[in-house]
Amino acid sequence: EEIHDGCADLAQSGTSSASKYFHGRASAANAPDHAPWQIFCQPELRPCCDDPASILRPGRRQCIGGVDLHAHLLDYTRRFWEGHPPQQRLMGLVNLMTAHEHFMTRLGILDTDLPPFLQGLAHRLRSDTALLVISDHGTHGVWYNDFAIGQAEHRQPAFLLSLPERFAAANPAGDGALRRNQARRLTSFDVHATLQHLAAWPTMPRPSLEATSLFVDLSPNRTCEQARVPAKFCIEV
């Protein structure tokens, strides 16, 4: 979600567009326990994106109190994880927004803070935690997209999944399917089905025309049409 969306209606219990969508599909009692995005609706933060003073203005470094925005969010996530016992099942989404600007200048600064964050979670990642690093799209609206590599990245955004070794060892069929699916066409719908599968493991969500858990083999010949990928976003390899 865009962290600046939905701030015009602060009367609702959830102010972001994603939160409003969630409330439209489920009861308020099932809303997330923590909603850190609401800080972006405070009057001290200028709205995106034409205001020169906006923290979300493309090309501007995002700092709060001399600390990059992504560092604040990573620190919040670390403290959240440390504050809950390992036996409690948790799911979290952190939208860093570091690369969400048109000049391709901010992403490099993430290299300073992301590795130590992951190293700090190493004991959880080795034992009981799945980590997904996902981009909803590649860079768009800049010179980079005039070249084939930029167009390809825009249509095939990053998707990285890390699972504990003992989980893979205990589920060799699922681990094998994951590895084979690396070379097959998948979509965000499949990622959603995979998250549902993990949340209810080992119960698998019912496959649909556009979504299958990645813990089972996708067709090696899956076409864009079969995966419900629009033609303008389709890349044939």
Side-chain angles (χ1 to χ4, degrees):
E1 65 164 316
E2 304 287 352
I3 55 178
H4 51 77
D5 284 351
C7 292
D9 186 4
L10 295 176
Q12 295 198 23
S13 57
T15 54
S16 75
S17 59
S19 180
K20 290 179 180 178
Y21 177 77
F22 185 93
H23 280 281
R25 298 290 298 272
S27 67
N30 292 324
D33 295 313
H34 302 272
W37 59 69
Q38 294 189 12
I39 191 174
F40 296 99
C41 293
Q42 300 303 311
E44 292 79 10
L45 296 181
R46 305 290 185 89
C48 182
C49 287
D50 297 326
D51 188 331
S54 171
I55 193 173
L56 298 171
R57 185 176 176 84
R60 177 179 176 180
R61 188 159 184 172
Q62 299 172 310
C63 293
I64 301 176
V67 179
D68 287 302
L69 173 61
H70 68 259
H72 281 292
L73 293 173
L74 291 174
D75 182 61
Y76 175 90
T77 304
R78 177 188 57 77
R79 289 185 286 111
F80 173 85
W81 227 250
E82 291 175 349
H84 291 78
Q87 62 270 24
Q88 184 177 1
R89 181 172 290 188
L90 302 171
M91 186 274 180
L93 168 66
V94 183
N95 187 354
L96 295 181
M97 297 286 288
T98 310
H100 210 273
E101 54 97 21
H102 296 174
F103 300 102
M104 302 175 67
T105 58
R106 279 205 304 251
L107 187 57
I109 64 175
L110 187 59
D111 292 341
T112 301
D113 299 297
L114 186 57
F117 168 78
L118 295 176
Q119 290 166 4
L121 290 179
H123 63 294
R124 300 291 295 268
L125 297 175
R126 285 192 296 264
S127 60
D128 61 8
T129 300
L131 173 70
L132 287 84
V133 179
I134 304 175
S135 174
D136 56 344
H137 57 73
T139 299
H140 56 195
V142 296
W143 58 268
Y144 193 56
N145 295 103
D146 293 334
F147 298 89
I149 186 173
Q151 295 174 19
E153 287 185 8
H154 186 243
R155 290 163 173 77
Q156 293 194 140
F159 171 61
L160 305 174
L161 171 61
S162 171
L163 292 168
E165 288 186 8
R166 70 177 186 181
F167 179 90
N171 301 278
D175 179 59
L178 278 174
R179 295 178 186 278
R180 290 187 291 273
N181 285 335
Q182 291 181 90
R184 295 168 182 171
R185 177 172 280 115
L186 61 92
T187 71
S188 298
F189 296 109
D190 301 316
V191 175
H192 180 252
T194 304
L195 290 172
Q196 289 182 310
H197 199 171
L198 280 172
W201 190 268
T203 303
M204 178 179 169
R206 184 185 299 275
S208 65
L209 290 175
E210 69 276 353
T212 301
S213 168
L214 298 178
F215 289 106
V216 298
D217 280 289
L218 299 174
S219 169
N221 301 314
R222 192 186 197 193
T223 65
C224 286
E225 182 178 5
Q226 291 169 337
R228 299 296 196 269
V229 176
K232 66 178 180 179
F233 294 116
C234 181
I235 293 181
E236 296 292 351
V237 180

